[in-house]
Amino acid sequence: MAGAALLLASATAVAALPVAIDVGHYLERPGAISAYGVTEFEYNHALAAVLAARLASDGAPVRLIGQRGEMADLWARPAQAEAAGAGFFLSIHHDSVKEEYLQAWTWNGRALRHSEQFAGFSLFVSRLNPRLAESLACASAIGAELRQAGLPVATHHGLSSEGVARPWADETNGVYYYDNLVVLKAASVPAVLLEAGVIVNREEERALAGAARRALTAEAVRRGLGRCGVMAAP
């Protein structure tokens, strides 16, 4: 009974800590350009807002990082989260593919690029983060919930554009190791990066731009955070 009470107290303490939601990229360098010409930052910003609202609806304190598009200093992002007392750091991104997979096309008179070869979500953790075990547990839990919601795992990250291997941390649930990601390795709290989908895939981008996909992703993340103890179980 004493052990159970201690576990409950620990879970309650963790749940009371803010969840930092990092809006990936910034206005001057907004990330990938989607198949329909939208910047990744716009997609990251929109999903982060939906996720923050979903977590807040369950009473979780949330700290948005970089939501105004001004944070060029990646090292400042986890530092700002920790200054706010965050107990977990989640960086929101949307995915592209390597140059060789992109094809030119024209949309509304604008020359753009797309690729239909890959779709789905992926998650990343860093082995340089001091809370790797907790980071991986949460990434796997989020990935499991995204799969349960019917979303596919993106499988194209095994080798980066620079030829650097990104090995699986949990292939079943779409989690890769990406050790040198600054926002992950510089955090002293558990930290995960989510690529919510592939915005150069024209069909998937249509879904990612919609309220239904954002709500589904936010709910899966919320349930995953409940499974790994960052929030109370849903």
Side-chain angles (χ1 to χ4, degrees), residues 99 101-107 110-115 202:
E99 290 286 329
Y101 298 121
L102 291 169
Q103 300 178 2
W105 81 307
T106 301
W107 171 255
R110 184 178 176 187
L112 295 163
R113 298 189 299 173
H114 74 97
S115 175
R202 291 174 293 187

Side-chain angles (χ1 to χ4, degrees), residues 1-10:
M1 181 65 71
L6 181 60
L7 181 61
L8 178 61
S10 175

Side-chain angles (χ1 to χ4, degrees), residues 173-222:
N173 293 312
V175 187
Y176 294 85
Y177 289 119
Y178 193 164
D179 294 331
N180 283 318
L181 276 172
V182 170
V183 294
L184 301 184
K185 72 178 183 179
S188 62
V189 298
V192 173
L193 186 145
L194 167 65
E195 296 276 9
V198 180
I199 57 173
V200 294
N201 180 310
R202 291 174 293 187
E203 182 178 356
E204 184 162 45
E205 183 185 359
R206 292 292 197 191
L208 290 163
R213 175 67 173 263
R214 287 173 181 153
L216 180 149
T217 299
E219 178 61 24
V221 171
R222 187 267 173 268

Side-chain angles (χ1 to χ4, degrees), residues 105-128:
W105 81 307
T106 301
W107 171 255
N108 285 344
R110 184 178 176 187
L112 295 163
R113 298 189 299 173
H114 74 97
S115 175
E116 313 308 310
Q117 289 184 255
F118 302 102
F121 72 89
S122 51
L123 298 121
F124 297 88
V125 296
S126 171
R127 287 172 288 196
L128 301 177

Side-chain angles (χ1 to χ4, degrees), residues 2-226:
L6 181 60
L7 181 61
L8 178 61
S10 175
T12 302
V14 170
L17 297 175
V19 175
I21 301 175
D22 173 50
V23 180
H25 297 286
Y26 54 100
L27 292 174
E28 290 185 8
R29 296 186 66 180
I33 303 298
S34 78
Y36 293 99
V38 181
T39 68
E40 181 189 346
F41 177 79
E42 292 179 65
Y43 278 107
N44 298 344
H45 189 278
L47 178 57
V50 173
L51 176 57
R54 176 64 189 90
L55 300 187
S57 72
D58 276 359
V62 175
R63 176 62 184 262
L64 281 166
I65 305 293
Q67 74 272 25
R68 293 187 296 274
E70 82 293 0
M71 290 198 71
D73 183 357
L74 296 180
W75 296 88
R77 292 171 182 252
Q80 186 178 109
E82 290 162 29
F88 185 81
F89 185 94
L90 178 64
S91 190
I92 299 297
H93 288 255
H94 288 72
D95 216 352
S96 185
V97 300
K98 289 190 285 188
E99 290 286 329
E100 57 261 39
Y101 298 121
L102 291 169
Q103 300 178 2
W105 81 307
T106 301
W107 171 255
N108 285 344
R110 184 178 176 187
L112 295 163
R113 298 189 299 173
H114 74 97
S115 175
E116 313 308 310
Q117 289 184 255
F118 302 102
F121 72 89
S122 51
L123 298 121
F124 297 88
V125 296
S126 171
R127 287 172 288 196
L128 301 177
N129 180 285
R131 307 280 291 275
L132 173 60
E134 294 153 278
S135 300
L136 180 54
C138 284
S140 292
I142 292 169
E145 291 294 341
L146 289 166
R147 288 196 308 107
Q148 182 66 29
L151 300 184
V153 169
T155 58
H156 62 289
H157 289 293
L159 197 67
S160 74
S161 299
E162 298 78 25
V164 177
R166 292 178 186 156
W168 287 110
D170 177 357
E171 184 173 1
T172 299
N173 293 312
V175 187
Y176 294 85
Y177 289 119
Y178 193 164
D179 294 331
N180 283 318
L181 276 172
V182 170
V183 294
L184 301 184
K185 72 178 183 179
S188 62
V189 298
V192 173
L193 186 145
L194 167 65
E195 296 276 9
V198 180
I199 57 173
V200 294
N201 180 310
R202 291 174 293 187
E203 182 178 356
E204 184 162 45
E205 183 185 359
R206 292 292 197 191
L208 290 163
R213 175 67 173 263
R214 287 173 181 153
L216 180 149
T217 299
E219 178 61 24
V221 171
R222 187 267 173 268
R223 295 183 67 85
L225 293 178

